[in-house]
Amino acid sequence: MENKGPFNAKITSVGHYVPDRIIDNKFFENFLDTNDEWIKTRTGISERRRLDKELPTSYMAVRAIQDMLSNRGIGIEEIDLIIVATVTPDMMYPSTACIIQKELGAKNAWGFDILAACSGFIFSLTTAIQFIQNGTHKKVIVVGADKMSAIANMEDRNTCILFGDAAGAVLLEPTEDRDSGILDTIMRIDGEGGKYLYQLGGGSLNPSTHETVDKRMHFVYQDGKSVFKDAVKGMADISYEIMEKNNITADQISYLVPHQANMRIITACAERMGISMDKVMVNIHKYGNTTSATIPTCISEYWKNGKVKKGDYLILSSFGAGYTWGSILLKWAY
Ligand code: UT7
């Protein structure tokens, strides 16, 4: 997307939060016909984190933001806008952004939620940079947070083994350097994919009733095979497209930061781009698919380990329910 504003948006801090409780693959063997070997080889997941039952998504988001603010050394009153990517809001409304704003005491901020499933963080980042690029906002938070354990059907071995709980946050600020920060974005949706990955119950189409509960309509449904096929192509193509469009070669890229849904999708995407796996950010083995949180938790962990440096080119890419998919090219600026 072309930037016609006076500034580029750059990420100036990152942070994340994962719950302490670890759920390993063996846990599922107790009540499902599955095993550690199948889960590891088919998905790349060894374990995932689970938030306490009584705690909501905002609990993790607040902690990820606090981590991010302390890494930048600024106070919450400086924040102008909070954008929350989630498919597991605390409740239908008010928005989780309002709940987070109150919890943090962000008295000078407004905010809203964005629902784009596994592409939620990428779509939210693309939305957030508009406010920075046009000069109206100086400090914008994007937080991706999901408590997937709240909507995982523990009787469905096809899906429940995939998901985990986590949150990751970034801070965006303006820069006059047009050659750094977020350089390009490509976003797509295709509602034809809606039939393969959804949560039917609780909306205006199927308001919550005893029947929607009995029919397990408040859980994730996924036709894994169809989504897998489309995700491999969709994510690989859009990641390659942003490289080509910006004349960036695989050699110049420091990191691919892919949505963490399946290790085989991640590998296929890296192969298509001609990028070796040591330049791919991965944490799926530890956290599973945390939906909106996969990309910011990856960036935060790698940054904390000193692996992300000023001037590094990163490509972020995702594919998820909707379908929604997209890629972002950025040059790390701090
Ligand atoms: O994040 C948003 C986007 N989501 C994705 O990108 C996820 C895309 N899909 C996937 O990652 C994969 O399709 C899954 C990991 C969900 C499934 O892997 P798969 O290799 O596509 O397996 P499959 O669905 O083709 O199933 C193969 C077999 C089936 O058995 P039959 O019908 O061949 O007898 C499944 O019932 O594996 C069976 N199976 C399992 N077996 C043991 C499915 N889940 C399990 C399990 N343990 N947990």
Side-chain angles (χ1 to χ4, degrees), residues 113-166:
D113 295 1
I114 286 184
L115 200 165
C118 294
S119 302
F121 182 77
I122 294 235
F123 278 32
S124 297
L125 201 55
T126 301
T127 304
I129 64 174
Q130 313 303 319
F131 295 95
I132 298 285
Q133 289 172 351
N134 70 18
T136 57
H137 291 60
K138 298 286 175 239
K139 289 189 173 65
V140 176
I141 291 173
V142 177
V143 58
D146 269 305
K147 183 188 179 186
M148 294 305 291
S149 61
I151 57 168
N153 179 357
M154 296 305 274
E155 291 173 10
D156 179 10
R157 69 173 183 174
N158 293 288
T159 51
C160 72
I161 51 114
L162 301 171
F163 297 109
D165 304 336

Side-chain angles (χ1 to χ4, degrees), residues 136 151 168 190 230 238 272:
T136 57
I151 57 168
D190 180 3
D230 294 333
I238 210 158
R272 169 93 163 90

Side-chain angles (χ1 to χ4, degrees), residues 33-35 38-39 42-43 118 157-158 161-163 197 222 224-225 227-228 231 259 261-262 264-265 289 319-321:
D33 180 15
T34 188
N35 57 76
W38 190 95
I39 299 172
R42 303 310 293 166
T43 71
C118 294
R157 69 173 183 174
N158 293 288
I161 51 114
L162 301 171
F163 297 109
L197 182 48
Q222 177 171 250
K225 215 172 274 196
V227 179
F228 184 90
H259 170 55
N262 187 312
R264 290 179 291 141
I265 300 175
N289 182 350
F319 189 94

